[in-house]
Amino acid sequence: MAEFQLIERYFSGLSGARQDVALGVGDDCALLQPPSGMQLAMTMDTLIAGRHFLPDTNPRRLGHKVLAVNLSDLAAMGARPAWALLSISLPEIDHAWLAEFSAGFAALAARHDLALVGGDTCQGEMSFSLQLTGFVEAGKELRRDGARPGDRIWVTGFLGDAALALKRLQAAEEPGALSGRLEQPRPRIAEGLALSGAGATSCIDISDGLASDLGHVCRQSGCAARVHLDRLPLSPAMARHVAKTGDYSLALAGGDDYELCFTLPADSTPPAGVDATCIGEMFPGEGVKLVDAGGREVPPPRGWEHFA
Amino acid sequence: MAEFQLIERYFSGLSGARQDVALGVGDDCALLQPPSGMQLAMTMDTLIAGRHFLPDTNPRRLGHKVLAVNLSDLAAMGARPAWALLSISLPEIDHAWLAEFSAGFAALAARHDLALVGGDTCQGEMSFSLQLTGFVEAGKELRRDGARPGDRIWVTGFLGDAALALKRLQAAEEPGALSGRLEQPRPRIAEGLALSGAGATSCIDISDGLASDLGHVCRQSGCAARVHLDRLPLSPAMARHVAKTGDYSLALAGGDDYELCFTLPADSTPPAGVDATCIGEMFPGEGVKLVDAGGREVPPPRGWEHFA
């Protein structure tokens, strides 16, 4: 089956009803009409089987996850999703698998009024490259480089659940309700939009783990972060894990959280609609410092890094 | 070495001097300022080692080719290149190789005032996913679906040279000057811009071979194409190959040409700056018909198709 027909068959109909898509899948390029007075926020990531997800992941959940991971980058910028291009590489064509994958992708795309406007398919190891474009008003974008000493550090949701689910799956244990946190992360688009223009001095999405991603904010903002371990937002399952093992490393460096980590001036609180926990504060210096409940500094676990 | 540093090291400085890049590589998203009154043309393709290029291709030439192949899609739309996002997957980090690859990419990007604004790197089989955005005035885009019976069919440059070079390389013969046609295709950006708004009724870039790509134009325009084999534009090397073998299949279906195939009304000729050859005409019906010098119809070779 030709590449063209493959794309058409599974991904037509995902152009949605957006008025700004002048031409979708099927030509050499898609044609889009950008809104006047808005900046475009663009991101692109590749997910590879065995590295970013388990090869036997349920295809509908995988379709969701591939999109969710990239939407999380738009969320971190305070951008509203608009258009997607998707490049799919598969070792062979499995029609039932593709139908499930595209259904999972489509359901999440529809929820965010995102149109799939292009891409390609080819034969190779299973991987997905997704490029997204969103809109954000100039001056309202959330960047990594604006945190200042004295700012408070906040995170949405809970940390470490996806890593705990993965750990259990790899140990052939039943992850239970945690599997949704690994395979169906909810991108914090609404929270990003609420934070945009609401005084946040920096924002990043937590994909490689809090320690690593907050480290990017420190480096790009030119200051240091202090994180209080006893203030980390933990689900009941993760709280039990920590109580049993004394080990915070999954919450700090497990990765795949897709929560937002942002900073606010000390006298501010998150805007309505953003359910977040204050976990520490920025101060002059560099790097991420961890302190335990007794105020003692503890060494940071290594964040998961590509080619590490 | 972390993903972030890898991107920074080899691809920083490729943001160029574009005024419309508000924020380049290094945050969750790039921020771009689209021009008012223009449409965006977006394309994305993945190239995989062993499938789209030989794994031992000179890395500088490969950096050029990955970009050229995608620029060709902008050319086919009549769009002016602007921004790129590049996702790189490599089995291991080879600094000398990456330096050469990025130099080849950079040289071609600079020639077209293209800024690399984002992307990622990961470990896996060697592959490159590239997403490009260009600008085209509404109404001046070149599409696949506007060819009409009576229109003449034109192609730029020569056909089949890249396929002939590949055939020779695979037979361990010296491809000579033809290797540049395989590894360093010149995207027809200037020709696409000249054709934009100059009355072309359709346009496509020839990536899978003339027969296959002109077939897309036929299908999407709802008419048929007649191609005269004796009018195909052939380089001296390809002309010798055809004279010796009587076989036009490399020129018709070899792929990797990255020339433009476009249609013009019968009373029009290509605009200044577009060096092209008239190879046939559209007529009512469907599909691509080939006729030899004696006017006899000959069967079309199969175009190279993914998963064929």
Side-chain angles (χ1 to χ4, degrees), chain A residues 1 30 32 40 42 46 87 306, chain B residues 1 30 32 40 42 46 87 306:
Chain A
M1 176 181 267
L32 297 320
L40 305 177
M42 289 191 176
T46 295
S87 182
H306 306 267
Chain B
M1 175 180 267
L32 297 319
L40 305 177
M42 290 191 175
T46 294
S87 183
H306 307 265

Side-chain angles (χ1 to χ4, degrees), chain A residues 8 12 23 42 75 78 180 202 227 242 289 295:
Chain A
E8 285 290 299
S12 63
L23 186 66
M42 289 191 176
S202 74
V227 172
V242 168
K289 313 296 179 197

Side-chain angles (χ1 to χ4, degrees), chain A:
Chain A
M1 176 181 267
E3 164 190 38
F4 182 79
Q5 295 166 295
L6 188 69
I7 296 177
E8 285 290 299
R9 176 154 170 189
Y10 294 102
F11 295 98
S12 63
L14 298 193
S15 280
R18 293 188 65 95
Q19 296 295 310
D20 54 12
V21 179
L23 186 66
V25 171
D27 212 305
D28 291 294
C29 294
L31 292 174
L32 297 320
Q33 189 55 57
S36 60
M38 299 287 271
Q39 289 182 122
L40 305 177
M42 289 191 176
T43 182
M44 174 159 154
D45 278 296
T46 295
L47 277 78
I48 301 180
R51 175 153 287 268
H52 301 96
F53 58 90
L54 299 173
D56 61 353
T57 300
N58 172 295
R60 188 178 289 246
R61 288 179 164 218
L62 186 58
H64 174 105
K65 182 165 181 173
V66 166
L67 177 53
V69 164
N70 278 268
L71 282 171
S72 184
D73 284 317
L74 291 184
M77 218 72 195
R80 184 180 299 281
W83 313 310
L85 292 96
L86 174 63
S87 182
I88 301 179
S89 170
L90 294 173
E92 59 183 3
I93 290 186
D94 176 336
H95 291 287
W97 193 97
L98 270 165
E100 283 294 296
F101 178 89
S102 60
F105 187 99
L108 184 57
R111 207 174 306 156
H112 294 287
D113 194 20
L114 179 87
L116 183 73
V117 300
D120 73 340
T121 56
C122 46
Q123 196 170 9
E125 68 178 358
M126 187 190 289
S127 70
F128 307 91
S129 290
L130 182 63
Q131 190 275 331
L132 297 184
T133 300
F135 307 146
V136 59
E137 203 177 318
K140 292 199 170 178
E141 65 271 13
L142 305 171
R143 299 168 55 142
R144 296 178 177 181
D145 60 2
R148 296 290 168 259
D151 288 352
R152 298 290 186 266
I153 306 163
W154 299 77
V155 294
T156 59
F158 296 129
L159 297 177
D161 287 345
L164 184 57
L166 180 63
K167 188 185 171 79
R168 290 184 177 170
L169 280 173
Q170 288 172 334
E173 292 170 27
E174 177 48 56
L178 286 178
S179 69
R181 293 278 294 158
L182 174 64
E183 296 176 353
Q184 299 218 278
R186 192 175 75 78
R188 298 292 185 179
I189 293 291
E191 288 83 350
L193 290 171
L195 286 167
S196 165
T201 53
S202 74
C203 187
I204 193 169
D205 77 312
I206 306 175
S207 53
D208 293 340
L210 175 69
S212 171
D213 290 315
L214 183 54
H216 291 312
V217 172
C218 289
R219 204 156 30 248
Q220 293 180 243
S221 294
C223 49
R226 184 183 301 110
V227 172
H228 301 262
L229 291 181
D230 61 328
R231 297 190 203 162
L232 291 177
L234 306 179
S235 68
M238 177 56 75
R240 282 192 300 273
H241 171 81
V242 168
K244 196 167 130 189
T245 62
D247 180 10
Y248 283 92
S249 64
L250 292 179
L252 288 167
D256 260 356
D257 292 303
Y258 306 109
E259 298 294 347
L260 297 183
C261 174
F262 58 95
T263 53
L264 288 174
D267 56 359
S268 296
T269 52
V274 179
D275 188 16
T277 305
C278 181
I279 60 165
E281 55 280 330
M282 306 301 289
F283 66 98
E286 56 184 37
V288 178
K289 313 296 179 197
L290 304 175
V291 294
D292 65 18
R296 286 178 297 269
E297 195 174 323
V298 298
R302 278 183 68 85
W304 182 83
E305 298 196 341
H306 306 267
F307 295 109

